[in-house]
């Protein structure tokens, strides 16, 4: 079964450094998403991306965050200047348009655990 | 605003017992989707089920069953004859047409421990 793949599985970065989290969505999917899960807490929506632009973003997704689809297969999340509170598991997800006029469900990758020191 | 509540933070059951995980949601949108995801100790999110707001039929898949009741805004999940491999955090989630279903809103999760 096709999968969303994320690399790396664990990223350790010094505070203030830039970090790029990478995702390869399922190949025929058109909608892409990033979510964040701080340890022990619920999963929170960050941003959705369709047709090469952001379609929705949360209040968490401030100016230090950006997303990009640099080629036909990758979808990246960049955090410009990391803070301690950015430490979390970051999940990428993708979805496609289904026969009942929706783009659900979203299929999630295994996540990248980001640790800021 | 949309919200998902899972009142049970942690549940422990003995293997082979049945267990029901509760989920209550809030939305003013009349068109929405409900989901359950499983997060095992390894951390990944595994999709279990999607249900749209117009389909109130209950669903059964093996040992799993779901009860959707629009009148009480609930979408409960029952595991029959639980097994140790069912130990995980289970998230109920919601997406609404108002936001083009882009944003999936997760509940806080219920941590299920199945004791052998």
């Amino acid at each position: 079964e096709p999968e969303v793949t994320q690399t790396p599985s664990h990223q350790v970065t010094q505070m203030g450094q830039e970090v790029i989290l990478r995702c390869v969505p399922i190949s025929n999917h058109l909608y892409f998403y990033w979510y964040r899960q701080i340890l022990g807490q619920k999963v929170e929506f960050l941003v959705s991306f369709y047709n090469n632009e952001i379609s929705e973003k949360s209040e968490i997704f401030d100016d230090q965050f950006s997303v990009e689809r640099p080629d036909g297969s990758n979808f990246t999340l960049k955090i410009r200047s990391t803070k301690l509170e950015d430490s979390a598991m970051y999940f990428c997800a993708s979805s496609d348009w289904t026969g009942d006029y929706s783009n659900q469900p979203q299929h999630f990758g295994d996540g990248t655990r980001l640790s800021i020191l | 605003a949309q919200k998902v509540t899972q009142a049970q933070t942690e549940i422990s059951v003995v293997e082979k017992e049945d267990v029901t995980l509760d989920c209550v949601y809030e939305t003013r949108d009349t068109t929405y989707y409900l989901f359950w995801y499983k997060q095992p100790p390894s951390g990944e999110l595994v999709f279990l089920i999607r249900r749209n707001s117009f389909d109130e039929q209950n669903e059964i898949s093996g040992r799993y069953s779901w009860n959707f009741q629009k009148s009480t805004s609930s979408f409960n999940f029952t595991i029959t004859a639980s097994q140790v491999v069912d130990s995980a955090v289970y998230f109920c989630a919601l997406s609404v047409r108002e936001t083009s279903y882009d944003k999936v809103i997760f509940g806080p999760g219920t941590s299920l421990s199945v004791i052998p």
Side-chain angles (χ1 to χ4, degrees), chain B residues 88-104:
Chain B
V89 179
Y90 291 86
F91 292 97
C92 181
L94 165 73
S95 69
V96 300
R97 190 168 70 172
E98 181 187 3
T99 55
S100 301
Y101 307 112
D102 280 348
K103 179 166 67 173
V104 176

Side-chain angles (χ1 to χ4, degrees), chain A residues 22-94:
Chain A
R22 302 181 191 280
C23 168
V24 178
I26 294 173
S27 63
N28 62 334
H29 284 186
L30 301 176
Y31 302 83
F32 314 110
Y33 315 85
W34 284 100
Y35 289 79
R36 179 182 83 175
Q37 185 183 29
I38 294 171
L39 185 64
Q41 299 186 21
K42 66 180 178 183
V43 180
E44 302 172 288
F45 170 81
L46 290 178
V47 66
S48 57
F49 191 86
Y50 170 69
N51 203 23
N52 282 321
E53 59 184 28
I54 291 173
S55 44
E56 180 94 18
K57 62 181 181 179
S58 72
E59 59 277 5
I60 302 169
F61 193 85
D62 60 23
D63 290 344
Q64 69 161 343
F65 290 95
S66 62
V67 289
E68 193 178 31
R69 189 154 163 80
D71 54 42
S73 59
N74 290 285
F75 179 51
T76 62
L77 173 70
K78 183 194 289 187
I79 308 175
R80 250 179 282 283
S81 178
T82 50
K83 304 174 193 150
L84 292 176
E85 54 264 37
D86 293 327
S87 294
M89 180 78 96
Y90 289 81
F91 290 101
C92 173
S94 70

Side-chain angles (χ1 to χ4, degrees), chain B residues 72-112:
Chain B
T72 55
S73 297
S74 65
F75 186 44
N76 296 337
F77 173 30
T78 297
I79 303 174
T80 304
S82 58
Q83 300 175 1
V84 172
V85 293
D86 296 328
S87 296
V89 179
Y90 291 86
F91 292 97
C92 181
L94 165 73
S95 69
V96 300
R97 190 168 70 172
E98 181 187 3
T99 55
S100 301
Y101 307 112
D102 280 348
K103 179 166 67 173
V104 176
I105 298 147
F106 284 79
T110 295
S111 177
L112 174 66

